[in-house]
Amino acid sequence: MNPEEFRKAAHELVDWIVDHQARIPELPVQSQVRPGDVAAQLPREAPVTPEAFPAVLGDLDRIVVPGITHTQHPRYFGWFPANATLSSVLGDIAASGLSALGITWQSAPALTEVEEVVVEWLRELTGLPSSWRGVIQDSASTSCLVSLLAARERATGYSETRGGLQAEPAPLIVYTTEHAHSSVVKAVALAGFGKDNLRVVETDPWTRAMVPEALARAIAADVAAGHRPTAVVATLGSTGTTAMDPIAEIVPIAAGHGVWVHVDAAMAGSALLLPEMRWMIDGIEGVDSLSWNPHKWLGTVFDCALLYVADPEHLVRVMSSNPSYLRSTVDGEVTQYRDWGIPLGRRFRALKLWFQLRLDGVQAIQDRLRRDLANARWLAEEVGSTPEWRLLAPVDLQTVCLRHEPADITDPGALDAHTLAWADEVNSSGAALVTPSTLDGRWFVRVSIGAESTSQGDVAAVWKILRATAEGLGRG
Ligand SMILES: Cc1ncc(COP(=O)(O)O)c(C=O)c1O
């Protein structure tokens, strides 16, 4: 493709994106394709000669769009918001157009320095300590892994430079709760702690937040057994019910044993842009690392995760690499972000955030977050005041956990079947998307509000749909 062909195609693609976005409200929220449907429409071999761009664009409409579950749909209430503001999409396109190589400061000074500035803007906007430094990672999963690697190395006096974990005299222990994201369990395994050395700390039966006294007891038992408490992963806004672990109470317990505290605020981090939500990070000064995902509720097109650390030296000591071909005369004066994470080569993700914050402004983002919080409170009140409907968790954020409990369905297994049946009927209708999930071994439904286009009217509409579907099925 030559530059003039690119110019023409790119204009057509931008027009296509705008038209596609306008059409989303009429499309089914959940993709209706069956496994294999998409692949079956693609040729088995790559084309040998060039195809015309309209043919490719036509296939986007015909093959790809039906194979997408539309997280940008106003009736998308599934998993967590995965917003993609058009301002950040522009930044993503600009990043691709620039095609900068982020392997060292020298290879693209702007890539590093725009990132430093934008990450600092967001630190300030979210009320995190002024001495902290941040970096953009691909995901909250990677951020947790990187934090646990740093915790492991701090606890062992940098064992990686000797015999590694295999030479350690005592097992290193990590603490979290059953409501932590699955990526925490994965990171514990990948960082070499071993799943046997992950302690699942008791939670409050209503808030699902970590019980600090239970953490203290678990740490004391490990110390008595000769183990080494190493890290606590606390969650703000758990995936199931948006539970909030009490940071202010966890920090002093951890500090007494030199335990690293990582806070996974993948979802809740966006809410920190609202001063009235900063209660979530009471005690943050004693935390070692915190990550959150602008690619969720904030609306920075996937992927964009922020990792903040109290002391980046821990990352650098564990992950720095300095081969001769990457050295330059300014190395002592600049940040080498390759030393703050796993990959060498990094994308110019900061441009997405830079475009979004500049083109939309903080005020509009804050207004949208407040709108979603108010919509969640409205729905929670509706659920709480409607007979045979039950709220299963506090609504501190934008997710409402609910269950339809008809009086005539008393058997727990039958209630599970009813919940799964009505949720499936809603989702397969394409009219809205909600997520069934389990709590204490029983199914319930999460209504996660926060798509950029979701208005109060859409929330009222989904409530009507849920009631009509569940109560209809409940009557048999
Ligand atoms: C609380 C929490 N932590 C971590 C993750 C994983 O995020 P990522 O896909 O960025 O790894 C999620 C995803 O929804 C989450 O809800």
Side-chain angles (χ1 to χ4, degrees), residues 80 138-142 181 183 235-239 264-267 293 295-296 302 305:
F80 270 150
D138 58 358
S139 63
S141 304
T142 301
H181 190 260
S183 56
T235 307
L236 293 179
S238 66
T239 316
D264 175 5
M267 175 60 205
N293 287 349
H295 69 222
K296 288 188 160 59
F302 197 82

Side-chain angles (χ1 to χ4, degrees), residues 132-148:
W132 283 22
R133 299 276 314 273
V135 56
I136 301 179
Q137 305 276 358
D138 58 358
S139 63
S141 304
T142 301
S143 303
C144 182
L145 173 60
V146 161
S147 302
L148 286 182

Side-chain angles (χ1 to χ4, degrees), residues 133-135 137 143 146-147 262 289-291 305-309 315:
R133 299 276 314 273
V135 56
Q137 305 276 358
S143 303
V146 161
S147 302
H262 175 66
S289 52
L290 176 146
S291 66
L306 292 169
L307 171 65
Y308 288 94
V309 285
L315 302 180

Side-chain angles (χ1 to χ4, degrees), residues 419-434:
T419 305
L420 289 172
W422 70 254
D424 184 55
E425 188 160 321
V426 170
N427 291 345
S428 38
S429 76
L433 186 76
V434 293

